[in-house]
Amino acid sequence: MSEQQTQERVTADFWFDPLCPWAWMTSRWMLEVEKLRPVDVRWNVMSLAVLNEPRLDELPDHYRDMMAGPAWGPVRVVIAARELHGDEVVGKLYTALGTRFHNRGEGPTREAIIGALEEVGLPASLADYAEKDTYDTELRTSHKEGIDLVGQDVGTPVIAVPGATGERVAFFGPVVTPAPKGDEAARLWDGTLAVASVPGFFELKRTRTQGPIFD
């Protein structure tokens, strides 16, 4: 019997902002893990704009300008798609958006958003929600669900997995590049479950020495 067959099936909650290249790396790892371990990923949105609201004045000018305006667009489109078309579209739309934003270098343009929507069979009119606050309450609720699990001193992505007694344990990360594949991806997942099983475990960290590698 394989190691995959001996493990119980678990759900991993994953919170992302489509703008974040590091969340994109981690999300591609989670898709690989789904192939190798009995794991179902449940995709949730969080917002870098919401996360940075309390500290906008402390941010560098270019990043503050992004957080105060353009950063709202993509995540608003995803939450509108979820509200109007169901949870099942979130992961597919994230993949389409992230591929265009990051791998193809198109950035979070309206054209890229419309292309992603059409690619997954969603109406292009959803792109209009980038400029609307219609579902900001739902966006903030989803964001808060992740932050309440993991705490305030984090970024995106956030993942939540079962702990030692079945409770949800959340972490920021893992921050990794390029996205691990094969046995490497499986080992990293097994390690994630291992640290989640230790009630007093909080943090492992080292300085990043390279940027995201898209492949």
Side-chain angles (χ1 to χ4, degrees), residues 77-201:
V77 171
V78 176
I79 200 71
R82 189 196 76 176
E83 292 301 307
L84 295 172
H85 298 276
D87 290 337
E88 64 274 9
V89 305
V90 175
K92 296 175 183 178
L93 180 55
Y94 179 32
T95 289
L97 288 169
T99 299
R100 290 171 180 273
F101 290 0
H102 305 298
N103 293 65
R104 298 183 189 175
E106 296 178 24
T109 64
R110 179 176 173 84
E111 291 74 20
I113 291 171
I114 289 174
L117 289 165
E118 292 177 339
E119 182 180 326
V120 297
L122 291 170
S125 59
L126 282 171
D128 295 340
Y129 285 94
E131 305 297 330
K132 299 177 181 179
D133 62 3
T134 309
Y135 296 110
D136 279 8
T137 297
E138 289 78 5
L139 170 57
R140 290 177 182 277
T141 296
S142 180
H143 178 92
K144 184 176 184 297
E145 287 170 353
I147 293 298
D148 283 351
L149 283 172
V150 75
Q152 294 292 328
D153 190 23
V154 300
T156 176
V158 169
I159 65 171
V161 299
T165 59
E167 79 285 6
R168 306 297 282 171
V169 177
F171 298 111
F172 162 53
V175 175
V176 60
T177 189
K181 294 181 173 62
D183 289 343
E184 188 177 61
R187 288 196 304 271
L188 181 56
W189 171 253
D190 294 342
T192 301
L193 292 183
V195 296
S197 72
V198 179
F201 176 83

